[in-house]
Amino acid sequence: MSNSNFNSSRFVLTGFPGLEVHYPWLCIPFSSIYALVFLGNCMVLHVIRTESSLHQPMFYFLAMLALTDLCIGFSTVYTVLGILLGLIQEISLDSCIAQSYFIHGLSFMESSVLLAMAFDRYIAICHPLRYSSILTNDKIIKIGVAILCRSSLLIPPVIIRLKFLNYCRPHILSHSFCLHQDLIRMACSDIHFNSIYALTLVIINLLLDAVLILISYIRILHTVLAIASREERLKSLQTCVSHICAVLVFYIPIIGLTMVHRFGKHLSPLVHVLMGNIYVILPPMMNPVIYSIKTQQIQKRVQRLFCMKGA
């Protein structure tokens, strides 16, 4: 086969091995999960936009997080539900590359937003008197642009090169969607650039963000422990609970998926598929729930919103 034939080939999406007869039933919980992703994040965005008291740096960053989660849902819903509904079984190389770009780019964006939120909590607790002067609207816009550029402009070199690789191994993806590591696994071309560049991206994005978030919370904990009043200590820490939960919900699935890809080759394909779906679905689904429960301002506004509709 010529190089052009390889590049025009299609890739088989892996659904849930061994559960094919249960797809109509599996479609119900997955449809509900995606509905929760879309409705939950849209509700958070609506509440922040319409409630003037929430026009603060902390909630601007939360709006960025909700928008990112919404886009992650849109980037995977077509293939995940398409498989369960029997609408699609394969995906073209171009569509696969595009989906891979959005999944990885949005993951980096979510990591960057979580870092910005950690910075917000650090300034609010460690330098409260300078909070309004440091996190001005102009600074927040610049942070948002920096996050967008960092997440979208660093990925194209490694993603574009996928178009020119020679795919001679079985075109069977490990998940219900496309990931960069899945595509290079099927390539017979020289993939050193992709492997090294992708590892560098992970280090300067996900790993660096995780380290900086950890450092910020060490500084926050040091400042909080210096507060004399126990009530004030608890109040300060309470403002960080939602963000800590969001960080855990984001990083734990990534670590789990990495471990499965690296050391779980002997595991059932179903484990790989489940970990992949948890990686792309859990954070967008859980973040609106976490912030609606743990953030009093969001919780009260959501309650008022439903009470108004009920009336």
Side-chain angles (χ1 to χ4, degrees), residues 21 30 56 66 70 72 86 106 111 126 137 183 202 207 215-217 225 231 237 248 266 285 291:
V21 295
F30 273 89
Q56 304 172 27
L70 200 58
I72 290 175
L106 290 166
S111 176
C126 300
N137 288 341
L183 284 171
V202 169
L207 185 58
I215 291 173
S216 70
Y217 271 102
L225 292 177
E231 289 73 18
L237 289 174
L248 293 176
H266 62 286
M285 179 185 69
Y291 279 93

Side-chain angles (χ1 to χ4, degrees), residues 1-9 93 165-168 171:
M1 292 178 68
S2 67
N3 198 42
S4 61
N5 286 334
F6 278 119
N7 287 339
S8 64
S9 62
L93 177 62
L165 295 180
N166 198 355
Y167 300 98
C168 63
H171 293 187

Side-chain angles (χ1 to χ4, degrees), residues 12 24 33 42 44 53 72 84 93-94 109 177 188 192 196 209 220 244 251 269-270 300-301:
V12 177
I33 289 170
C42 285
V44 170
S53 64
I72 290 175
L84 295 176
L93 177 62
D94 290 340
M109 189 176 295
F177 42 82
C188 298
H192 283 92
I196 295 171
D209 289 352
I220 287 171
I244 292 171
Y251 278 101
L270 183 60
K300 290 178 181 178
R301 186 64 181 86

Side-chain angles (χ1 to χ4, degrees), residues 38-65:
F38 298 136
L39 294 176
N41 286 289
C42 285
M43 180 189 67
V44 170
L45 289 169
H46 174 73
V47 167
I48 293 173
R49 185 181 68 85
T50 56
E51 183 61 45
S52 58
S53 64
L54 300 182
H55 294 175
Q56 304 172 27
M58 172 183 173
F59 297 104
Y60 290 145
F61 290 130
L62 177 56
M64 293 180 196
L65 185 68

Side-chain angles (χ1 to χ4, degrees), residues 24-36:
W25 293 106
L26 285 175
C27 188
I28 297 174
F30 273 89
S31 297
S32 302
I33 289 170
Y34 274 104
L36 182 59

Side-chain angles (χ1 to χ4, degrees), residues 170-211:
H171 293 187
I172 301 175
L173 298 167
S174 302
H175 304 287
S176 308
F177 42 82
C178 296
L179 295 176
H180 171 265
Q181 55 265 38
D182 237 6
L183 284 171
I184 63 172
R185 178 178 56 82
M186 290 176 276
C188 298
S189 308
D190 183 6
I191 60 171
H192 283 92
F193 173 80
N194 283 67
S195 299
I196 295 171
Y197 193 95
L199 178 61
T200 303
L201 281 181
V202 169
I203 292 173
I204 65 175
N205 281 278
L206 301 181
L207 185 58
L208 179 61
D209 289 352
V211 171

Side-chain angles (χ1 to χ4, degrees), residues 19-264:
L19 300 178
E20 287 80 4
V21 295
H22 302 295
Y23 278 4
W25 293 106
L26 285 175
C27 188
I28 297 174
F30 273 89
S31 297
S32 302
I33 289 170
Y34 274 104
L36 182 59
V37 168
F38 298 136
L39 294 176
N41 286 289
C42 285
M43 180 189 67
V44 170
L45 289 169
H46 174 73
V47 167
I48 293 173
R49 185 181 68 85
T50 56
E51 183 61 45
S52 58
S53 64
L54 300 182
H55 294 175
Q56 304 172 27
M58 172 183 173
F59 297 104
Y60 290 145
F61 290 130
L62 177 56
M64 293 180 196
L65 185 68
L67 185 60
T68 304
D69 286 337
L70 200 58
C71 292
I72 290 175
F74 280 121
S75 69
T76 59
V77 63
Y78 168 68
T79 52
V80 174
L81 291 186
I83 291 172
L84 295 176
L85 292 171
L87 300 177
I88 59 170
Q89 292 180 329
E90 298 177 335
I91 187 171
S92 68
L93 177 62
D94 290 340
S95 297
C96 198
I97 291 173
Q99 186 180 49
S100 175
Y101 170 78
F102 283 110
I103 290 175
H104 292 297
L106 290 166
S107 293
F108 290 157
M109 189 176 295
E110 179 137 354
S111 176
S112 299
V113 173
L114 290 173
L115 175 60
M117 296 174 83
F119 176 69
D120 169 82
R121 292 298 84 206
Y122 166 74
I123 298 298
I125 294 174
C126 300
H127 303 283
L129 298 179
R130 299 173 56 198
Y131 182 77
S132 58
S133 62
I134 294 176
L135 287 175
T136 61
N137 288 341
D138 185 53
K139 292 276 182 64
I140 292 171
I141 291 173
K142 289 179 180 178
I143 291 173
V145 171
I147 289 172
L148 184 62
C149 292
R150 181 194 190 211
S151 305
S152 59
L153 298 181
L154 292 177
I155 298 179
V158 72
I159 294 295
I160 291 173
R161 196 168 186 278
L162 292 173
K163 177 71 176 175
F164 305 99
L165 295 180
N166 198 355
Y167 300 98
C168 63
R169 295 189 175 92
H171 293 187
I172 301 175
L173 298 167
S174 302
H175 304 287
S176 308
F177 42 82
C178 296
L179 295 176
H180 171 265
Q181 55 265 38
D182 237 6
L183 284 171
I184 63 172
R185 178 178 56 82
M186 290 176 276
C188 298
S189 308
D190 183 6
I191 60 171
H192 283 92
F193 173 80
N194 283 67
S195 299
I196 295 171
Y197 193 95
L199 178 61
T200 303
L201 281 181
V202 169
I203 292 173
I204 65 175
N205 281 278
L206 301 181
L207 185 58
L208 179 61
D209 289 352
V211 171
L212 292 176
I213 290 171
L214 180 60
I215 291 173
S216 70
Y217 271 102
I218 291 174
R219 298 292 299 273
I220 287 171
L221 188 60
H222 182 266
T223 301
V224 168
L225 292 177
I227 300 174
S229 170
R230 182 174 180 273
E231 289 73 18
E232 287 297 320
R233 288 201 299 269
L234 290 175
K235 185 178 179 181
S236 297
L237 289 174
Q238 195 68 29
T239 64
C240 300
V241 172
S242 299
H243 180 255
I244 292 171
C245 291
V247 169
L248 293 176
V249 164
F250 175 73
Y251 278 101
I252 289 176
I254 286 181
I255 294 171
L257 182 62
T258 302
M259 297 296 288
V260 166
H261 270 288
R262 181 71 176 173
F263 305 107

